[in-house]
Every structure is written in structure tokens, then in C-alpha cells.
């Protein structure tokens, strides 16, 4: 995953030398503005730039070169590497210490950024593998696609997966039993990352997929019930990285609360935001597991569409919604709680891609059916993706968990309705929900 690749070292050395030389010249122009001993901080700009792109060692080398240039050209006596006066010694020592500290902190920040990006990419890969392995296709046809996706994610020459115990790079096990083999042609550091971060998730998903195939071959009712339990367990395993991401942010922010009181407000807001995100993800997992198991039976009652839409919009506090509802909308016979969950997920999805623009929500009665149209001003959805965006774990972009729209379709259909999307690339996207209106209305 390419974020760990640095630019060529020779380029870094050249830019460091050029930056130190340019800064040395600039200091001559600044001598009339500030005392010479205080101008060394200007070199820190070059040190930070080099350290952020090429790492701490080149940053330290740049700091040393800056200190020598500062001494030779600007600290009396100039023209030679010598220092007179305690003030000049202190200035040079403080500059070098600051440069070393700045380089180290820049490298630490870069490493954390790289690690966070790698974690996000690994979570995306795990979700994609879950979608491929658990969507119901034949395992012999699915495993090559999973291997190709893994090879593309890590930039390896090749990767293949077979559901057999053969010679390969990594045996895939379920307990003591080998259920498959992963073969990867990659350097040793990449192999270590795959072994520690991808193989455990792949083992769980492959075990679930094999168990699913066995259950599908058994037509007995008890076997079908067992299949439902296995798939629900696999769903939870497959999004483990998505669950860990907000938890990591919460724990990091909680540790950082030991800082000053002024910074605690921002950290507390981060904890609240990530905890809310985690709560929504867990709710979606539970909803989807009930839908997959056929346990999300609707409890119909007379419900007001206006109240359902208003309650759903309130669950997305950051979104801007323009509700336009006909005055004479009839009530519907449906499970209001399920419809509210469906529209809340639909509104959250629209808000995520709206680019900060208001979202239009229109509802009208059309010949014995109610049409609710949710329109955002996002980038649009390509035609090739429109048939699949309602599948669990499928994501046309890099955002979201791939659960929301699957829940929307499940709850709408459980209440006798249907949902579809109308969109063109680079244009607004409309999600349309159609709900039936009973011929007999309450009096």
C-alpha cells in the first residue's frame, strides 16, 4: 500500500542542500530585521520539509548542515567554524536541539499518518473480501477475484487463494484444520503485514464461506437455521476493522485528555463523534443481521409519513433537509420504526455525498401509492454500480460501511414497498421510495 514509499534519497539530499543554501542567502537580507542569533529558526522550515518527506535521518543531516552553515556564514567570527561569546554558543545549541526535536516529531507524525492510512486500506480490503466471499457466488469463481484484489491492494506481483491444503506461503486454518492456502509473491516486509493483519480475517471469512456452501447444499430446515447463525457471525467478523477504527480514535482522544483544559473540549467532541459513529455501525449490523436471518418482521400500524421523515431527519443532525410534502398525504399501514431506520440511513447516505449542499426530500400521493424522492447534489452513481449499491458491504466509493442502503431496501420491502436509484455521473442522485396506500383508510 503505496503511502510508505518515499521519494528518491538523491532528490532529498539535493533539495536539502539547495534549501540550506537558499536559507543562508535569505538570512543576509534579514540581518537588518532581527538579531543574527535569532535568525537560525528560519532553517527549521527546510529541516521540517525534508524530515516530513524523507524521514528523520535526512532531517537530522539537514539540521547538522544548517547548523554548520549558520555557524560559518552568520555567527561571529564568520568565515570559519568557530564560535566566540556565550550568547552565540547558546543560540547555536538551541537551534540544533530544536531542529533535532522538530525532525523527530515530524517523522513520528508521518509514521502515525502512514499507519492510520494503512489501517484504513486494510479495513477497506477486509470489507471487500467479505463482500466477495459472502455474497453467495461459487467459491471456485470468487477466490481468484479475492486474490486479485489482495495483490492490487499490496502492490504484489501475484496472490492466489485455494480452498485446499497445498504448498503455499500461508496455510489458512480454522482451528487445527487447514481449510485453504494463500500464496503471495512479495517482499518479506509485505509478507509480514499480510500475515499479521490480513490472514486472520481471511481465515474467518473463508471458514464462513465454506460453511455457507455446506449449509446451502443441505435442504433440511435445521441446517438452514444454522446457516443463518454462521452468516451473522461472519458479518460481525468482516467489519471488525470498521469497529476498531472509531474505538482507536476514542481511546487515543481519551489518553490525550491529560492535556490543557483548552484542548479538552475538542478532544471530547472527537470522542462523542466517534462513539456516535460506532453506535450507528452497531445498530446497522444488528438491523442487517435481522434482515439476513428473516427475523425483521414488520409490525404494521397506521403511520404518518411526515412524522416518519421528520424523525429520520433528526437522526442526521449535521444534514440540511428541505422537506416538501403534499398537504393531503394519506397515512400508510407500516412499521413506523422500521421506516424511520430506513429513511435515517437513506438521509445519512445522501448527506455523506451531498458536498455540504441541502438535501431535497419530496413526498406525494400518486394514484394509490406514495412516492418519496430524496435528492442530493453529489457526484452521481455510475450505471454499472446502480444495481449493486443495495447489496451488503458493496461500496461504489471509499466512504461508508456498505450497510446503510442494504438496510434501506430490506426495511422498505418488509413493509410492502420498493426502492430504486436514478442517477447519472456528475449529476444529482435521486433515491425513490414507493409505499402502497391501503384502499381502506382509518376513520
Amino acid at each position: 500500500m503505496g503511502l510508505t514509499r518515499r521519494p528518491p534519497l538523491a532528490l532529498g539530499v539535493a533539495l536539502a542542500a539547495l534549501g540550506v543554501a537558499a536559507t543562508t542567502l535569505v538570512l543576509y537580507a534579514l540581518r537588518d530585521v532581527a538579531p543574527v542569533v535569532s535568525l537560525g529558526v528560519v532553517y527549521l522550515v527546510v529541516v521540517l520539509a525534508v524530515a516530513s518527506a524523507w524521514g528523520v535521518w535526512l532531517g537530522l543531516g539537514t539540521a547538522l548542515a544548517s547548523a554548520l552553515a549558520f555557524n560559518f556564514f552568520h555567527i561571529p567570527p564568520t568565515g570559519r567554524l568557530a564560535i566566540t561569546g556565550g550568547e552565540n554558543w547558546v543560540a547555536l545549541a538551541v537551534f540544533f536541539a530544536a531542529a533535532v526535536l522538530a525532525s523527530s516529531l515530524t517523522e513520528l507524525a508521518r509514521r502515525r499518518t502512514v499507519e492510520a492510512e494503512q489501517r484504513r486500506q486494510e479495513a477497506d480490503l477486509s470489507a471487500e473480501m467479505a463482500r466477495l466471499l459472502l455474497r453467495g457466488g461459487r467459491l471456485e469463481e470468487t477466490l481468484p477475484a479475492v486474490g486479485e484484489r489482495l495483490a492490487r491492494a499490496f502492490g504484489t506481483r501475484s496472490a492466489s487463494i485455494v480452498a485446499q491444503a497445498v504448498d503455499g506461503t500461508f496455510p489458512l486454518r480454522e482451528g487445527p484444520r487447514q481449510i485453504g492456502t494463500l500464496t503471495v509473491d512479495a517482499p518479506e516486509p509485505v509478507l509480514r503485514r499480510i500475515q499479521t493483519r490480513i490472514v486472520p480475517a481471511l481465515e474467518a471469512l473463508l471458514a464462513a464461506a465454506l460453511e455457507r456452501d455446506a449449509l446451502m447444499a443441505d435442504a433440511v430446515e435445521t441446517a438452514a437455521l444454522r446457516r443463518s447463525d454462521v452468516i451473522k457471525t461472519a458479518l460481525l467478523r468482516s467489519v471488525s476493522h470498521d469497529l476498531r477504527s472509531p474505538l482507536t480514535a476514542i481511546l487515543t482522544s481519551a489518553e490525550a485528555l491529560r492535556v490543557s483544559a483548552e484542548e479538552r473540549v475538542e478532544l471530547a467532541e472527537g470522542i462523542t463523534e466517534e462513539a456516535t459513529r460506532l453506535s450507528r455501525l452497531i445498530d446497522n449490523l444488528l438491523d442487517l443481521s435481522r434482515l439476513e436471518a428473516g427475523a425483521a418482521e414488520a409490525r404494521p400500524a397506521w403511520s404518518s409519513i411526515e412524522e416518519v421523515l421528520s424523525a429520520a431527519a433528526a437522526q442526521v443532525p449535521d444534514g440540511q433537509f428541505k422537506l416538501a410534502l403534499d398537504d393531503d398525504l394519506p397515512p400508510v399501514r407500516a412499521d413506523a420504526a422500521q421506516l424511520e431506520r430506513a429513511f435515517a440511513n437513506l438521509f445519512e447516505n445522501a448527506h455523506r455525498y451531498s458536498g455540504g449542499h441541502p438535501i431535497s426530500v419530496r413526498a406525494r400521493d400518486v394514484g394509490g401509492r406514495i412516492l418519496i424522492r430524496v435528492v442530493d447534489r453529489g457526484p452521481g452513481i455510475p450505471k454499472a454500480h446502480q444495481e449493486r449499491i443495495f447489496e451488503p458491504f458493496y461500496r461504489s466509493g471509499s466512504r461508508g460501511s456498505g450497510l446503510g442502503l442494504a438496510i434501506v431496501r430490506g426495511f422498505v420491502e418488509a413493509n410492502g414497498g420498493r426502492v430504486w436509484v436514478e442517477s447519472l455521473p456528475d449529476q444529482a442522485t435521486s433515491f425513490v421510495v414507493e409505499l402502497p396506500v391501503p384502499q381502506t383508510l382509518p376513520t
Side-chain angles (χ1 to χ4, degrees):
M1 298 181 180
L3 213 148
T4 58
R5 298 175 183 171
R6 301 182 188 274
L9 180 60
L11 177 62
V13 173
L15 289 179
L18 182 62
V20 171
T23 304
T24 301
L25 293 176
V26 168
L27 292 191
Y28 282 107
L30 297 177
R31 283 186 166 188
D32 297 333
V33 178
V36 171
V37 293
S38 66
L39 293 177
V41 69
V42 180
Y43 284 102
L44 289 180
V45 177
V46 179
V47 174
L48 288 174
V50 171
S52 64
W54 283 275
V56 66
W57 290 111
L58 190 54
L60 293 177
T62 307
L64 179 59
S66 299
L68 294 175
F70 189 38
N71 180 3
F72 189 85
F73 290 101
H74 294 289
I75 294 182
T78 58
R80 56 196 179 95
L81 295 175
I83 302 175
T84 60
E87 179 184 2
N88 294 331
W89 275 106
V90 171
L92 187 61
V94 169
F95 162 75
F96 189 72
V100 170
L101 179 60
S103 297
S104 302
L105 291 177
T106 301
E107 174 67 4
L108 179 60
R110 183 186 183 280
R111 288 180 181 176
R112 289 184 175 179
T113 301
V114 168
E115 184 178 356
E117 178 63 14
Q118 288 178 349
R119 295 286 186 180
R120 184 192 66 77
Q121 293 175 343
E122 290 160 6
D124 290 343
L125 176 60
S126 295
E128 180 70 7
M129 291 193 303
R131 183 186 66 80
L132 292 171
L133 289 171
L134 301 178
R135 66 182 178 183
R138 295 182 58 191
L139 204 56
E140 295 81 3
E141 300 173 353
T142 302
L143 288 178
V146 175
E148 180 183 350
R149 178 67 179 85
L150 192 152
R152 188 167 66 252
F154 283 90
T156 63
R157 289 179 285 272
S158 65
S160 63
I161 307 168
V162 294
Q164 299 175 2
V166 298
D167 291 336
T169 311
F170 301 111
L172 304 176
R173 301 182 181 279
E174 183 185 26
R177 180 171 66 98
Q178 184 172 348
I179 58 175
T181 306
L182 169 62
T183 303
V184 184
D185 184 8
E188 187 62 29
V190 175
L191 292 179
R192 288 197 296 268
R193 281 185 55 205
I194 293 175
Q195 183 176 20
T196 57
R197 299 185 180 180
I198 301 301
V199 168
L202 183 57
E203 288 177 330
L205 291 170
L206 182 58
L210 290 170
E211 183 69 13
R212 180 208 59 202
D213 285 356
L215 293 171
M216 289 179 63
D218 192 346
V220 181
E221 183 178 0
T222 55
L225 293 175
R226 288 176 54 201
R227 172 184 175 276
S228 176
D229 290 336
V230 171
I231 291 182
K232 286 190 290 184
T233 301
L235 290 175
L236 293 175
R237 287 177 178 173
S238 66
V239 295
S240 60
H241 285 284
D242 283 336
L243 290 171
R244 290 192 187 104
S245 295
L247 284 175
T248 301
I250 291 171
L251 293 173
T252 302
S253 297
E255 281 292 323
L257 282 175
R258 297 169 181 166
V259 300
S260 63
E262 291 79 11
E263 296 175 321
R264 290 178 185 171
V265 174
E266 181 180 352
L267 293 172
E269 291 176 353
I271 292 175
T272 301
E273 179 182 349
E274 294 296 338
T276 302
R277 173 185 165 200
L278 180 60
S279 177
R280 285 198 302 265
L281 178 59
I282 292 173
D283 288 342
N284 284 343
L285 281 172
L286 294 174
D287 288 340
L288 187 60
S289 66
R290 288 197 298 267
L291 288 168
E292 291 286 335
E297 184 177 352
R299 298 179 180 179
W302 292 110
S303 306
S304 165
I305 287 297
E306 180 177 1
E307 293 177 359
V308 168
L309 294 177
S310 298
Q315 295 186 33
V316 190
D318 295 335
Q320 301 179 50
F321 300 93
K322 293 183 177 180
L323 301 180
L325 284 66
D326 286 356
D327 294 333
D328 55 347
L329 280 179
V332 294
R333 184 78 175 168
D335 188 324
Q338 289 188 354
L339 290 184
E340 181 179 326
R341 291 285 299 145
F343 282 109
N345 277 285
L346 196 56
F347 290 172
E348 184 176 359
N349 181 81
H351 171 60
R352 186 181 300 121
Y353 293 95
S354 66
H357 297 290
I359 298 158
S360 172
V361 182
R362 300 193 297 270
R364 56 196 181 99
D365 184 3
V366 181
R369 56 201 178 112
I370 294 180
L371 291 182
I372 301 100
R373 188 177 295 271
V374 180
V375 183
D376 66 64
R377 294 170 61 184
I381 302 173
K383 188 69 175 179
H385 295 288
Q386 292 180 17
E387 296 299 323
R388 303 186 59 191
I389 58 175
F390 295 98
E391 296 177 6
F393 300 107
Y394 183 79
R395 295 182 292 181
S396 59
S398 61
R399 290 174 283 184
S401 62
L403 303 177
L405 293 179
I407 294 170
V408 171
R409 183 178 64 178
F411 280 151
V412 168
E413 291 181 353
N415 287 274
R418 64 190 187 101
V419 59
W420 67 92
V421 63
E422 299 173 354
S423 178
L424 292 174
D426 301 322
Q427 297 186 25
T429 299
S430 297
F431 285 90
V432 185
V433 176
E434 179 187 277
L435 295 174
V437 176
Q439 296 181 353
T440 304
L441 297 178
T443 57

